[in-house]
Amino acid sequence: MEEMLKQILTKLNGLEQGQKEIKEKVNNIEQAVSRIEVSQNEDVIAILKRVDQDIEDKTQALNKRVYKLETEYERLSRN
């Protein structure tokens, strides 16, 4: 009987230790998810800023080309 109680206590201690380990792992997972959520937002913002800058650069280049064409058209129209 006493041996059985010791075995039960040993198993209970093992279960408690396992439960602590699971809680610790869940906590680590929650922290990792939080970091991913934050960095994902930062990544999306960085991508959007990059796209905005690319569009701005291309718009400026097109505006320069249109201005040159308009200038050349005006010059040719006067002659």
Side-chain angles (χ1 to χ4, degrees):
M1 180 78 164
E2 198 172 304
E3 184 62 33
M4 281 181 58
L5 288 175
K6 285 182 182 179
Q7 288 176 351
I8 291 172
L9 284 175
T10 302
K11 288 184 179 189
L12 282 175
N13 286 336
L15 288 173
E16 286 176 351
Q17 182 62 32
Q19 185 180 15
K20 287 178 184 178
E21 290 174 5
I22 289 171
K23 284 182 180 180
E24 185 177 316
K25 288 179 181 181
V26 167
N27 188 30
N28 289 340
I29 290 170
E30 288 173 346
Q31 290 174 354
V33 167
S34 293
R35 284 192 305 270
I36 290 170
E37 287 173 345
V38 169
S39 67
Q40 184 180 27
N41 288 339
E42 292 170 352
D43 291 345
V44 169
I45 290 170
I47 290 169
L48 290 174
K49 285 181 180 179
R50 176 65 187 192
V51 167
D52 183 56
Q53 185 61 48
D54 288 347
I55 290 172
E56 183 66 29
D57 293 345
K58 289 177 182 179
T59 301
Q60 287 179 359
L62 286 172
N63 283 339
K64 287 178 185 178
R65 291 173 67 187
V66 168
Y67 177 76
K68 287 179 183 179
L69 288 171
E70 287 174 340
T71 304
E72 185 64 19
Y73 175 79
E74 286 295 323
R75 187 182 68 76
L76 292 172
S77 295
R78 291 184 184 157
N79 291 334

